[in-house]
Amino acid sequence: MPNTIRAAITAVGHYVPDTVMTNHDLEKLVETNDEWIRTRTGISERRILKQGATSDLAVPAVQMLLKNRGITAEELDVIIFATVTPDMFFPATACVLQEKIGAKKAWGFDISAACSGFVYALSLGSQLVQTGAYKKVLVVGADKMSSILDYTDRNTCILFGDAGAAVLLEPSADPSLGIIDHKLYSDGSGGDYLYMKGGGSLNPPSADTIANKMHYIYQDGKSVFKVAVVGMADVSAEIMARNGLTGADVDWLVPHQANLRIIDATADRMGLDKSKVMINIGRYGNTTAATIPLCLSEWWHEGKIKKGQNLVLASFGAGFTWGAVYVKWAY
Ligand code: UT7
Protein backbone atom coordinates (compact mmCIF):
# COMPACT_ATOMS: atom_id res chain seq x y z
CA MET A 1 0.00 0.00 0.00
CA PRO A 2 1.69 3.26 -1.09
CA ASN A 3 2.23 5.96 1.50
CA THR A 4 -0.41 8.58 0.72
CA ILE A 5 0.22 10.90 3.66
CA ARG A 6 1.55 14.26 2.58
CA ALA A 7 2.61 17.05 4.94
CA ALA A 8 0.98 20.45 4.44
CA ILE A 9 1.55 23.86 5.95
CA THR A 10 -1.70 24.60 7.81
CA ALA A 11 -0.83 27.77 9.74
CA VAL A 12 1.78 30.52 9.75
CA GLY A 13 2.90 33.19 12.23
CA HIS A 14 5.61 35.79 12.58
CA TYR A 15 7.07 38.43 14.85
CA VAL A 16 9.32 41.39 14.20
CA PRO A 17 10.57 43.60 17.04
CA ASP A 18 9.44 47.24 17.23
CA THR A 19 12.86 48.87 17.23
CA VAL A 20 13.84 49.97 13.73
CA MET A 21 17.46 50.58 12.72
CA THR A 22 17.67 52.52 9.47
CA ASN A 23 20.58 52.91 7.09
CA HIS A 24 20.92 56.46 8.39
CA ASP A 25 21.27 55.10 11.94
CA LEU A 26 24.14 52.92 10.69
CA GLU A 27 25.81 55.92 9.06
CA LYS A 28 26.45 57.12 12.61
CA LEU A 29 28.16 53.84 13.58
CA VAL A 30 30.29 52.89 10.55
CA GLU A 31 31.58 54.50 7.36
CA THR A 32 28.69 53.70 5.07
CA ASN A 33 25.80 55.45 3.40
CA ASP A 34 22.16 54.82 2.69
CA GLU A 35 22.64 54.82 -1.09
CA TRP A 36 25.42 52.19 -1.00
CA ILE A 37 23.40 49.88 1.24
CA ARG A 38 20.21 50.21 -0.80
CA THR A 39 21.82 49.74 -4.20
CA ARG A 40 24.17 46.89 -3.18
CA THR A 41 21.73 44.97 -0.97
CA GLY A 42 18.17 46.30 -1.29
CA ILE A 43 18.02 46.96 2.47
CA SER A 44 16.65 50.20 3.96
CA GLU A 45 16.00 49.15 7.55
CA ARG A 46 16.14 46.21 9.92
CA ARG A 47 14.53 45.41 13.29
CA ILE A 48 16.44 44.92 16.52
CA LEU A 49 15.30 43.02 19.61
CA LYS A 50 16.57 45.18 22.45
CA GLN A 51 15.69 42.87 25.35
CA GLY A 52 15.42 39.12 25.31
CA ALA A 53 16.70 36.18 23.30
CA THR A 54 15.92 34.30 20.10
CA SER A 55 13.20 32.27 21.83
CA ASP A 56 11.45 35.58 22.58
CA LEU A 57 11.26 36.23 18.84
CA ALA A 58 9.67 32.81 18.38
CA VAL A 59 7.07 32.93 21.17
CA PRO A 60 4.80 35.63 19.66
CA ALA A 61 5.23 34.10 16.18
CA VAL A 62 4.06 30.71 17.46
CA GLN A 63 1.21 32.28 19.45
CA MET A 64 -0.01 33.96 16.26
CA LEU A 65 0.18 30.61 14.45
CA LEU A 66 -1.71 28.71 17.18
CA LYS A 67 -4.42 31.37 17.23
CA ASN A 68 -4.78 31.18 13.44
CA ARG A 69 -5.12 27.40 13.58
CA GLY A 70 -7.35 27.45 16.66
CA ILE A 71 -5.27 24.94 18.61
CA THR A 72 -3.32 25.01 21.86
CA ALA A 73 0.41 24.45 22.30
CA GLU A 74 -0.38 21.20 24.10
CA GLU A 75 -1.49 19.72 20.79
CA LEU A 76 1.97 20.07 19.24
CA ASP A 77 3.92 16.82 18.75
CA VAL A 78 7.34 18.11 17.64
CA ILE A 79 9.22 21.44 17.62
CA ILE A 80 12.06 21.91 15.12
CA PHE A 81 13.89 25.17 15.74
CA ALA A 82 16.24 26.51 13.06
CA THR A 83 18.67 29.14 14.34
CA VAL A 84 22.33 30.14 14.51
CA THR A 85 21.69 32.35 17.52
CA PRO A 86 20.28 29.87 20.05
CA ASP A 87 19.49 31.29 23.49
CA MET A 88 22.35 29.08 24.75
CA PHE A 89 24.43 26.22 23.31
CA PHE A 90 22.22 23.96 25.33
CA PRO A 91 19.52 23.20 26.23
CA ALA A 92 18.11 23.46 22.72
CA THR A 93 16.09 26.60 22.03
CA ALA A 94 13.31 24.20 20.97
CA CYS A 95 13.11 23.12 24.62
CA VAL A 96 13.23 26.73 25.85
CA LEU A 97 10.38 27.55 23.49
CA GLN A 98 8.47 24.44 24.53
CA GLU A 99 8.52 25.62 28.13
CA LYS A 100 7.60 29.22 27.27
CA ILE A 101 4.57 28.28 25.18
CA GLY A 102 3.50 25.28 27.26
CA ALA A 103 3.89 22.61 24.56
CA LYS A 104 3.95 19.94 27.26
CA LYS A 105 3.48 16.92 24.99
CA ALA A 106 6.06 17.85 22.34
CA TRP A 107 9.69 16.88 21.87
CA GLY A 108 12.07 19.07 19.95
CA PHE A 109 15.53 19.95 18.77
CA ASP A 110 17.50 22.70 17.03
CA ILE A 111 18.91 22.75 13.51
CA SER A 112 22.06 24.68 12.67
CA ALA A 113 22.07 25.38 8.96
CA ALA A 114 22.30 29.16 9.01
CA CYS A 115 20.26 30.83 6.26
CA SER A 116 19.12 27.42 4.99
CA GLY A 117 17.95 26.40 8.45
CA PHE A 118 14.29 26.84 7.61
CA VAL A 119 14.31 24.85 4.35
CA TYR A 120 16.27 22.08 6.07
CA ALA A 121 13.83 22.07 9.02
CA LEU A 122 10.76 22.18 6.78
CA SER A 123 12.04 19.25 4.69
CA LEU A 124 12.79 17.22 7.77
CA GLY A 125 9.49 18.10 9.45
CA SER A 126 7.56 17.06 6.36
CA GLN A 127 9.20 13.62 6.54
CA LEU A 128 8.11 13.23 10.17
CA VAL A 129 4.52 13.86 9.08
CA GLN A 130 4.71 11.74 5.92
CA THR A 131 5.79 8.63 7.84
CA GLY A 132 2.59 8.89 9.82
CA ALA A 133 4.55 9.18 13.06
CA TYR A 134 3.50 12.75 13.94
CA LYS A 135 0.48 14.91 13.22
CA LYS A 136 1.48 18.41 14.35
CA VAL A 137 5.06 19.50 13.69
CA LEU A 138 6.01 23.09 14.46
CA VAL A 139 8.86 24.43 12.30
CA VAL A 140 10.41 27.64 13.60
CA GLY A 141 13.01 29.92 12.02
CA ALA A 142 14.26 32.66 14.32
CA ASP A 143 17.46 34.60 14.78
CA LYS A 144 18.61 37.46 16.93
CA MET A 145 21.41 38.40 14.56
CA SER A 146 22.06 41.63 16.47
CA SER A 147 23.51 39.47 19.26
CA ILE A 148 26.44 38.34 17.06
CA LEU A 149 27.01 41.50 14.99
CA ASP A 150 29.98 43.81 15.33
CA TYR A 151 28.51 47.29 14.93
CA THR A 152 31.95 48.58 13.94
CA ASP A 153 32.18 46.18 10.95
CA ARG A 154 30.44 47.68 7.94
CA ASN A 155 30.80 44.42 5.99
CA THR A 156 28.25 42.69 8.19
CA CYS A 157 26.33 45.03 10.50
CA ILE A 158 24.42 46.62 7.64
CA LEU A 159 23.08 43.29 6.41
CA PHE A 160 21.30 41.55 9.25
CA GLY A 161 18.27 41.99 11.51
CA ASP A 162 16.17 40.12 14.08
CA ALA A 163 12.91 38.22 13.51
CA GLY A 164 11.06 35.02 14.26
CA ALA A 165 8.50 33.08 12.22
CA ALA A 166 6.94 29.64 12.18
CA VAL A 167 4.78 27.24 10.21
CA LEU A 168 2.72 24.27 11.30
CA LEU A 169 2.93 20.99 9.39
CA GLU A 170 0.04 18.51 9.48
CA PRO A 171 -1.14 15.62 7.30
CA SER A 172 -2.73 17.21 4.25
CA ALA A 173 -6.48 16.77 3.90
CA ASP A 174 -5.87 16.64 0.13
CA PRO A 175 -2.74 14.61 -0.73
CA SER A 176 -2.25 16.56 -3.96
CA LEU A 177 -1.51 19.65 -1.82
CA GLY A 178 1.34 20.26 0.61
CA ILE A 179 5.12 19.80 0.59
CA ILE A 180 5.66 18.15 -2.79
CA ASP A 181 9.45 17.98 -3.11
CA HIS A 182 12.69 19.21 -1.61
CA LYS A 183 16.32 19.27 -2.67
CA LEU A 184 19.02 20.13 -0.14
CA TYR A 185 22.77 20.57 -0.43
CA SER A 186 25.77 21.37 1.71
CA ASP A 187 29.44 21.96 0.91
CA GLY A 188 31.76 22.21 3.88
CA SER A 189 34.54 23.68 1.77
CA GLY A 190 32.59 26.95 2.05
CA GLY A 191 33.24 27.15 5.79
CA ASP A 192 36.03 29.72 5.49
CA TYR A 193 33.83 32.40 3.98
CA LEU A 194 31.04 32.83 6.51
CA TYR A 195 31.39 31.86 10.15
CA MET A 196 31.53 32.72 13.83
CA LYS A 197 34.72 31.11 15.08
CA GLY A 198 34.56 31.78 18.82
CA GLY A 199 32.64 30.17 21.63
CA GLY A 200 32.61 26.53 20.50
CA SER A 201 34.98 23.69 21.40
CA LEU A 202 37.53 24.88 18.82
CA ASN A 203 37.89 28.31 20.36
CA PRO A 204 36.27 28.33 23.80
CA PRO A 205 35.52 31.80 25.12
CA SER A 206 38.61 33.54 26.47
CA ALA A 207 40.08 37.01 26.74
CA ASP A 208 41.82 36.28 23.41
CA THR A 209 38.67 35.24 21.55
CA ILE A 210 37.01 38.42 22.75
CA ALA A 211 39.98 40.62 21.88
CA ASN A 212 40.07 39.04 18.39
CA LYS A 213 36.33 39.60 17.90
CA MET A 214 35.73 35.90 17.37
CA HIS A 215 32.24 35.99 18.86
CA TYR A 216 30.98 38.02 15.93
CA ILE A 217 29.86 36.94 12.49
CA TYR A 218 32.55 37.12 9.78
CA GLN A 219 31.68 37.14 6.09
CA ASP A 220 33.76 37.41 2.93
CA GLY A 221 30.80 38.95 1.15
CA LYS A 222 32.16 38.94 -2.38
CA SER A 223 33.10 35.24 -2.29
CA VAL A 224 29.77 34.22 -0.75
CA PHE A 225 27.90 36.35 -3.28
CA LYS A 226 29.48 34.52 -6.22
CA VAL A 227 28.42 31.06 -5.05
CA ALA A 228 25.09 32.16 -3.56
CA VAL A 229 23.90 33.72 -6.78
CA VAL A 230 24.62 30.48 -8.70
CA GLY A 231 23.58 28.07 -5.92
CA MET A 232 20.16 29.56 -5.22
CA ALA A 233 19.30 29.94 -8.91
CA ASP A 234 20.55 26.41 -9.76
CA VAL A 235 18.61 24.63 -7.02
CA SER A 236 15.45 26.58 -7.87
CA ALA A 237 15.78 25.63 -11.54
CA GLU A 238 16.50 22.03 -10.54
CA ILE A 239 13.38 21.65 -8.41
CA MET A 240 11.27 23.21 -11.16
CA ALA A 241 12.71 20.88 -13.82
CA ARG A 242 12.19 17.71 -11.86
CA ASN A 243 8.58 18.65 -11.11
CA GLY A 244 7.86 19.72 -14.69
CA LEU A 245 7.30 23.36 -13.74
CA THR A 246 7.90 26.34 -16.01
CA GLY A 247 8.03 29.96 -14.86
CA ALA A 248 4.35 30.27 -15.81
CA ASP A 249 3.42 27.48 -13.36
CA VAL A 250 5.12 29.07 -10.36
CA ASP A 251 2.91 31.50 -8.44
CA TRP A 252 5.48 32.56 -5.85
CA LEU A 253 9.21 32.41 -5.40
CA VAL A 254 9.91 32.65 -1.67
CA PRO A 255 13.63 33.39 -1.57
CA HIS A 256 16.00 33.76 1.35
CA GLN A 257 16.48 37.50 1.78
CA ALA A 258 20.25 38.05 1.79
CA ASN A 259 20.66 40.42 -1.12
CA LEU A 260 18.14 41.77 -3.63
CA ARG A 261 20.61 41.11 -6.45
CA ILE A 262 20.72 37.39 -5.56
CA ILE A 263 16.91 37.29 -5.43
CA ASP A 264 16.63 39.02 -8.83
CA ALA A 265 19.13 36.61 -10.41
CA THR A 266 17.15 33.63 -9.09
CA ALA A 267 13.86 35.02 -10.41
CA ASP A 268 15.44 35.67 -13.82
CA ARG A 269 16.80 32.13 -14.00
CA MET A 270 13.33 30.76 -13.17
CA GLY A 271 11.72 32.95 -15.81
CA LEU A 272 9.60 34.72 -13.21
CA ASP A 273 8.14 38.19 -13.28
CA LYS A 274 9.13 40.24 -10.21
CA SER A 275 5.46 40.44 -9.21
CA LYS A 276 5.69 36.73 -8.30
CA VAL A 277 8.61 37.13 -5.91
CA MET A 278 8.17 37.69 -2.17
CA ILE A 279 10.55 40.47 -1.18
CA ASN A 280 10.69 42.19 2.20
CA ILE A 281 14.47 42.55 2.58
CA GLY A 282 14.04 46.33 2.39
CA ARG A 283 12.27 46.42 5.75
CA TYR A 284 13.99 43.64 7.67
CA GLY A 285 17.40 42.91 6.14
CA ASN A 286 18.68 39.36 6.41
CA THR A 287 17.04 37.64 9.38
CA THR A 288 18.81 34.31 8.63
CA ALA A 289 16.52 31.36 9.51
CA ALA A 290 13.46 33.64 9.72
CA THR A 291 13.43 35.14 6.22
CA ILE A 292 11.36 32.52 4.38
CA PRO A 293 8.67 31.83 7.03
CA LEU A 294 8.46 35.59 7.65
CA CYS A 295 7.62 36.11 3.97
CA LEU A 296 5.10 33.25 4.03
CA SER A 297 3.34 34.64 7.09
CA GLU A 298 3.26 38.25 5.88
CA TRP A 299 1.98 37.33 2.44
CA TRP A 300 -0.62 34.91 3.84
CA HIS A 301 -1.88 37.49 6.34
CA GLU A 302 -2.26 39.96 3.48
CA GLY A 303 -4.39 37.39 1.64
CA LYS A 304 -1.91 37.04 -1.20
CA ILE A 305 -1.31 33.28 -1.03
CA LYS A 306 -4.18 31.14 -2.33
CA LYS A 307 -4.99 27.46 -1.95
CA GLY A 308 -3.50 25.38 -4.77
CA GLN A 309 -0.79 27.90 -5.67
CA ASN A 310 2.72 26.68 -6.50
CA LEU A 311 5.46 28.07 -4.28
CA VAL A 312 9.20 27.53 -4.62
CA LEU A 313 11.14 28.25 -1.42
CA ALA A 314 14.89 28.71 -1.96
CA SER A 315 17.87 29.52 0.23
CA PHE A 316 21.64 29.78 0.39
CA GLY A 317 23.75 30.25 3.50
CA ALA A 318 26.76 29.49 5.67
CA GLY A 319 28.23 26.02 5.50
CA PHE A 320 27.72 26.34 2.62
CA THR A 321 24.14 25.10 2.80
CA TRP A 322 21.47 25.57 0.18
CA GLY A 323 18.22 24.10 -1.01
CA ALA A 324 14.73 24.47 -2.38
CA VAL A 325 11.28 23.22 -1.40
CA TYR A 326 8.28 22.95 -3.73
CA VAL A 327 4.99 23.60 -1.92
CA LYS A 328 1.44 23.45 -3.25
CA TRP A 329 -0.37 25.71 -0.80
CA ALA A 330 -3.02 23.77 1.09
CA TYR A 331 -5.29 26.33 2.80
O1 UT7 B 1 22.70 34.98 3.89
C1 UT7 B 1 23.85 34.21 3.87
C2 UT7 B 1 24.57 34.30 2.58
N1 UT7 B 1 25.08 35.62 2.39
C3 UT7 B 1 24.94 36.24 1.24
O2 UT7 B 1 24.35 35.70 0.34
C4 UT7 B 1 25.62 37.57 1.10
C5 UT7 B 1 26.44 37.61 -0.16
N2 UT7 B 1 27.19 38.85 -0.35
C6 UT7 B 1 26.63 40.06 -0.58
O3 UT7 B 1 25.43 40.20 -0.51
C7 UT7 B 1 27.52 41.20 -1.02
O4 UT7 B 1 28.80 40.70 -1.33
C8 UT7 B 1 27.67 42.34 0.02
C9 UT7 B 1 26.36 43.12 0.10
C10 UT7 B 1 28.03 41.77 1.38
C11 UT7 B 1 28.76 43.31 -0.44
O5 UT7 B 1 28.46 43.80 -1.74
P1 UT7 B 1 29.55 43.79 -2.89
O6 UT7 B 1 28.92 44.38 -4.08
O7 UT7 B 1 30.09 42.39 -3.01
O8 UT7 B 1 30.62 44.78 -2.32
P2 UT7 B 1 32.16 44.53 -2.04
O9 UT7 B 1 32.34 43.75 -0.79
O10 UT7 B 1 32.82 44.06 -3.28
O11 UT7 B 1 32.62 46.01 -1.78
C12 UT7 B 1 32.61 47.02 -2.82
C13 UT7 B 1 33.16 48.30 -2.26
C14 UT7 B 1 34.49 48.11 -1.56
O12 UT7 B 1 35.26 49.27 -1.78
P3 UT7 B 1 36.39 49.30 -2.92
O13 UT7 B 1 37.34 48.21 -2.57
O14 UT7 B 1 35.67 49.05 -4.21
O15 UT7 B 1 36.96 50.67 -2.78
C15 UT7 B 1 34.12 48.03 -0.10
O16 UT7 B 1 35.16 48.44 0.74
O17 UT7 B 1 32.27 48.82 -1.27
C16 UT7 B 1 32.96 48.98 -0.03
N3 UT7 B 1 32.03 48.66 1.07
C17 UT7 B 1 31.18 49.56 1.58
N4 UT7 B 1 30.95 50.85 1.31
C18 UT7 B 1 29.99 51.47 2.02
C19 UT7 B 1 31.85 47.48 1.67
N5 UT7 B 1 30.89 47.57 2.60
C20 UT7 B 1 30.47 48.86 2.57
C21 UT7 B 1 29.47 49.56 3.28
N6 UT7 B 1 29.27 50.86 2.98
N7 UT7 B 1 28.73 48.98 4.23
Side-chain angles (χ1 to χ4, degrees):
M1 179 94 171
N3 177 9
T4 52
I5 301 174
R6 190 183 291 286
I9 294 172
T10 57
V12 288
H14 68 278
Y15 173 73
V16 289
D18 294 333
T19 304
V20 176
M21 185 184 272
T22 65
N23 292 348
H24 295 298
D25 293 330
L26 285 162
E27 286 171 354
K28 294 172 199 142
L29 301 176
V30 288
E31 204 181 316
T32 191
N33 61 80
D34 173 56
E35 212 247 328
W36 190 97
I37 302 173
R38 274 189 293 102
T39 53
R40 297 283 178 135
T41 71
I43 302 167
S44 296
E45 54 189 48
R46 64 290 290 143
R47 305 295 181 109
I48 306 295
L49 183 68
K50 288 230 157 153
Q51 300 265 310
T54 294
S55 62
D56 298 309
L57 293 163
V59 169
V62 174
Q63 284 166 343
M64 176 192 268
L65 173 155
L66 294 171
K67 195 169 168 223
N68 285 341
R69 186 71 185 103
I71 61 168
T72 66
E74 291 212 8
E75 293 174 62
L76 298 173
D77 297 320
V78 185
I79 300 172
I80 309 179
F81 201 122
T83 187
V84 286
T85 51
D87 288 19
M88 294 166 275
F89 266 2
F90 68 88
T93 310
C95 298
V96 178
L97 177 67
Q98 171 191 23
E99 174 62 14
K100 286 187 175 176
I101 61 174
K104 293 197 185 318
K105 297 188 184 120
W107 61 280
F109 59 97
D110 291 1
I111 285 189
S112 170
C115 296
S116 299
F118 182 77
V119 298
Y120 272 39
L122 186 68
S123 305
L124 188 56
S126 75
Q127 303 302 300
L128 295 179
V129 173
Q130 272 186 34
T131 59
Y134 300 100
K135 290 206 159 53
K136 287 188 170 51
V137 177
L138 180 70
V139 180
V140 183
D143 271 298
K144 185 182 175 180
M145 295 307 289
S146 61
S147 67
I148 56 167
L149 283 176
D150 175 1
Y151 283 98
T152 66
D153 176 14
R154 70 176 184 177
N155 293 307
T156 51
C157 73
I158 59 143
L159 297 172
F160 296 92
D162 304 338
V167 306
L168 183 67
L169 289 171
E170 295 184 82
S172 181
D174 174 349
S176 71
L177 302 177
I179 314 290
I180 309 291
D181 194 13
H182 63 266
K183 181 70 198 165
L184 305 174
Y185 290 99
S186 63
D187 176 0
S189 71
D192 289 341
Y193 304 101
L194 180 48
Y195 57 71
M196 191 180 89
K197 282 242 162 101
S201 55
L202 179 65
N203 300 297
S206 68
D208 275 354
T209 61
I210 292 172
N212 292 318
K213 299 192 166 195
M214 289 165 76
H215 300 278
Y216 292 130
I217 190 169
Y218 166 85
Q219 175 170 245
D220 172 351
K222 211 186 252 309
S223 299
V224 177
F225 186 91
K226 280 185 201 147
V227 272
V229 83
V230 175
M232 210 162 96
D234 276 358
V235 75
S236 304
E238 182 182 359
I239 206 147
M240 285 171 72
R242 73 185 205 180
N243 288 282
L245 299 171
T246 66
D249 301 316
V250 175
D251 297 291
W252 292 108
L253 166 64
V254 194
H256 171 55
Q257 315 273 314
N259 188 314
L260 190 55
R261 290 181 287 151
I262 299 175
I263 296 172
D264 286 347
T266 303
D268 285 348
R269 177 74 181 282
M270 294 168 73
L272 284 192
D273 188 80
K274 295 292 174 312
S275 61
K276 292 177 163 189
V277 186
M278 295 188 190
I279 298 170
N280 60 14
I281 188 173
R283 278 174 288 142
Y284 305 126
N286 182 348
T287 58
T288 305
T291 59
I292 290 175
L294 177 57
C295 280
L296 289 175
S297 185
E298 281 201 334
W299 263 250
W300 184 83
H301 279 92
E302 287 166 20
K304 293 192 280 201
I305 311 179
K306 303 271 186 287
K307 188 173 177 177
Q309 283 190 328
N310 289 316
L311 281 65
V312 173
L313 286 45
S315 72
F316 191 95
F320 295 128
T321 55
W322 67 108
V325 182
Y326 168 32
V327 178
K328 258 184 139 24
W329 200 256
Y331 76 108

